[in-house]
Amino acid sequence: MLNASTREALLHQLRTSDGAQLQAMQFPTSHSSDQDASTPVLHPVVVVGAGPTGLSLAIDLAQRGQPVVVLDNDNRLSAGSRAICFAKRTFEIWDRLGLGQRAVSKGVAWKVGKVFEGAGTEPVYQFDLLPESGHERPAFINLQQYYAEAYLVERALELPLIDIRWQHKLEQVAVRNGISELEVSTPEGNYPLQAQWLVACDGSKSSVRQQLGLESKGQTFRDRFLIADVRLNAPFPCERWFWFNPPFHPGQSVLLHMQPDGVWRIDFQLGWDADPQQEKQPERIIPRIQAMLGPDVEIELVWASVYTFACQRMERFVHGPVLFAGDSAHGVSPFGARGANSGVQDADNLAWKLNAVLRGWAPSSLLDSYGSEREYAADENILNSTRATDFITPKSPISHLFRSAVLQLAKDHTFARRMVNSGRLSVPAVLHSSPLNCADLASDAGVFDTAPALGAVLPDAPVIHAASSRASHVLRELGHDFTLLYFGKAPQWASQLAASEPQLKLICIGADDINDHGALAQRLGAPTGSAYLLRPDQHICARWTQPSADLVRSALAQVLHGAAANPMESATAQRCAA
């Protein structure tokens, strides 16, 4: 555990460093008392990997009062910008974790995407990812991954229940009698460690997965792409621009994004036969960008990488006391920004369930729902990512013909524009068949027909605190527990129930408590006197037009204790077979 003075020094450095300084920063390796113990120390939760998924999970658990050990084999932030497109849902989660605004203030917000074909200067297709007003966060914010990781580390260092151990590398894992037994190496030597729950957030080449002899299966795509981060003065707006077969890169595709610090991300499709080492050289990259922007544009190459990609996942994410999250559990192509965003959603789903199990509020079978729900979400991401990749990089004559026809038709016909696929952008999965969804008990036919489905994340909406006139948004008001949203003045039973249930928060909308001016009620199709029950991860799990204390108690019991029956398994199996 880092001492107080070291923590303060690191916090100061993280808060005052620019991008280059953050990438050069090295975190100290601390000596843990576990290294001196005569017998292995058992910790309730050990997280392997201090990336966006692992740190989001650790912060969430620590804010719920759970101590967490985080092991990382490195002592630096990620090299290069890597993931840059963070979705609205990620920032809503990070707002609850206390770092959302820090990241928003640095990032570049956008919501419009445009697709071009050939030499045309007008888009054949464009989209607005958030045409609806009243949401606190934009559809997407571009932010280099090292900034995101820095803000996560900063927040983690503010929480004394998190013990980040840099350069503590997991060497061996074995599960005996329901406990994970670990062998950890450090610059000072090895030491044993035990975990009641071990969460692998250690990336696509997960050492935990390898140690346990588990596999991640899927499809590898035969193509190569160049990522080039360049600093330049470009005449483009804060939008996502995608070109098919442009004159400056004929026969291939190009993607453009703006990042902070005057840096632009440009992806060039190269083809399978391209030499990765040659294509990363400045003398190969600069001419490509000059062909795109003109020979007189001043270009500073910041970072470059050549990659291939695969869509794959583990068959199961839960293996007894070992759980997998983020890239260790699933991987997708980068088109659609579904990698890091999905990992943060894994953490959001897992943290409250793990906390409930550790506190004895729920049996360990609740964690099975983490597996089924996030496996379902991974299948959805893989399906969308695979379709996008097939459209962007067609591998057969018929696929090329189809894409050419769609792009030509899209110039003049609305129906064809819906088939243009340069990457369906990340949105949170709607957990339609989750075992945690309760029936729409006592609802009148048709009342919730236009509302989000059970299993969806609650849509955001502006609200005002009646007593103070303080403006806010409903997602900010939900906190870390279950929330009963009651539309109207709270009946006595609701107030008594919230007082007697420590895991339940009551929020009254449109009454003396919080006023939504009808926006949230309209989005939810909620008449006066109705109620919504929200999980701690803000997914809708129940709703009623005539709620009662017994109905709410029954729903809470089903969510926490009735998760053993798992209808999502059959849906996930069908998706895998497809």
Side-chain angles (χ1 to χ4, degrees), residues 18 258 324:
D18 60 22
M258 180 190 287
F324 291 82

Side-chain angles (χ1 to χ4, degrees), residues 321-352:
V322 184
L323 307 108
F324 291 82
D327 287 349
S328 71
H330 49 76
V332 293
S333 73
F335 300 110
R338 294 173 178 271
N341 289 299
S342 182
V344 173
Q345 290 171 41
D346 288 349
D348 187 45
N349 186 294
L350 178 57
W352 70 270

Side-chain angles (χ1 to χ4, degrees), residues 378-427:
D379 286 339
E380 185 172 277
N381 283 326
I382 288 170
L383 179 66
N384 280 285
S385 186
T386 300
R387 287 175 174 173
T389 304
D390 287 342
F391 193 89
I392 294 167
T393 64
K395 297 298 185 292
S396 68
I398 192 66
S399 296
H400 274 282
L401 181 63
F402 172 77
R403 190 182 77 176
S404 297
V406 166
L407 292 172
Q408 287 299 312
L409 288 168
K411 296 175 182 178
D412 301 307
H413 300 283
T414 302
F415 81 90
R417 292 169 191 160
R418 292 192 294 270
M419 291 186 280
V420 175
N421 193 342
S422 64
R424 299 286 186 258
L425 275 298
S426 173
V427 293

Side-chain angles (χ1 to χ4, degrees), residues 170-175 200 202 205-217 314-316 319 322 324 328:
L170 182 67
E171 297 288 357
Q172 295 182 27
V173 183
V175 177
D202 53 343
K205 298 179 181 178
S206 169
S207 62
V208 177
R209 192 178 66 230
Q210 294 173 14
Q211 287 286 333
L212 295 178
L214 301 171
E215 293 182 304
S216 191
K217 298 180 180 179
M314 298 177 66
E315 182 179 357
R316 292 184 294 114
H319 292 262
V322 184
F324 291 82
S328 71

Side-chain angles (χ1 to χ4, degrees), residues 165-287:
R165 302 180 186 179
W166 287 287
Q167 289 187 305
H168 284 236
K169 181 182 179 182
L170 182 67
E171 297 288 357
Q172 295 182 27
V173 183
V175 177
R176 296 184 180 89
N177 301 318
I179 297 294
S180 294
E181 299 182 351
L182 318 177
E183 181 77 16
V184 182
S185 67
T186 76
E188 298 178 332
N190 292 13
Y191 68 99
L193 198 64
Q194 293 183 339
Q196 185 177 350
W197 296 99
L198 177 67
V199 188
C201 304
D202 53 343
S204 60
K205 298 179 181 178
S206 169
S207 62
V208 177
R209 192 178 66 230
Q210 294 173 14
Q211 287 286 333
L212 295 178
L214 301 171
E215 293 182 304
S216 191
K217 298 180 180 179
Q219 177 183 2
T220 299
F221 295 91
R222 291 174 59 84
D223 212 326
R224 302 189 196 278
F225 282 79
L226 166 70
I227 293 178
D229 280 359
V230 294
R231 186 171 285 109
L232 48 82
N233 185 15
F236 300 107
C238 298
E239 298 174 349
R240 179 188 194 264
W241 282 20
F242 194 102
W243 289 266
F244 288 103
N245 190 30
F248 54 83
H249 195 52
Q252 306 283 23
S253 61
V254 179
L255 174 64
L256 178 74
H257 271 289
M258 180 190 287
Q259 302 179 67
D261 302 334
V263 176
W264 293 80
R265 159 70 59 82
I266 309 176
D267 287 37
F268 291 97
Q269 183 184 4
L270 299 176
W272 182 246
D273 295 330
D275 184 305
Q277 294 305 317
Q278 289 185 9
E279 295 297 345
K280 284 192 294 186
Q281 302 308 312
E283 58 268 23
R284 302 277 290 187
I285 297 173
I286 300 300

Side-chain angles (χ1 to χ4, degrees), residues 112-117 120-127 239-243 407 410-412 417 420:
V112 173
K114 293 177 180 176
V115 178
F116 301 87
E117 197 270 333
T121 58
E122 292 298 319
V124 297
Y125 172 68
Q126 71 178 62
F127 52 84
E239 298 174 349
R240 179 188 194 264
W241 282 20
F242 194 102
W243 289 266
L407 292 172
K411 296 175 182 178
D412 301 307
R417 292 169 191 160
V420 175

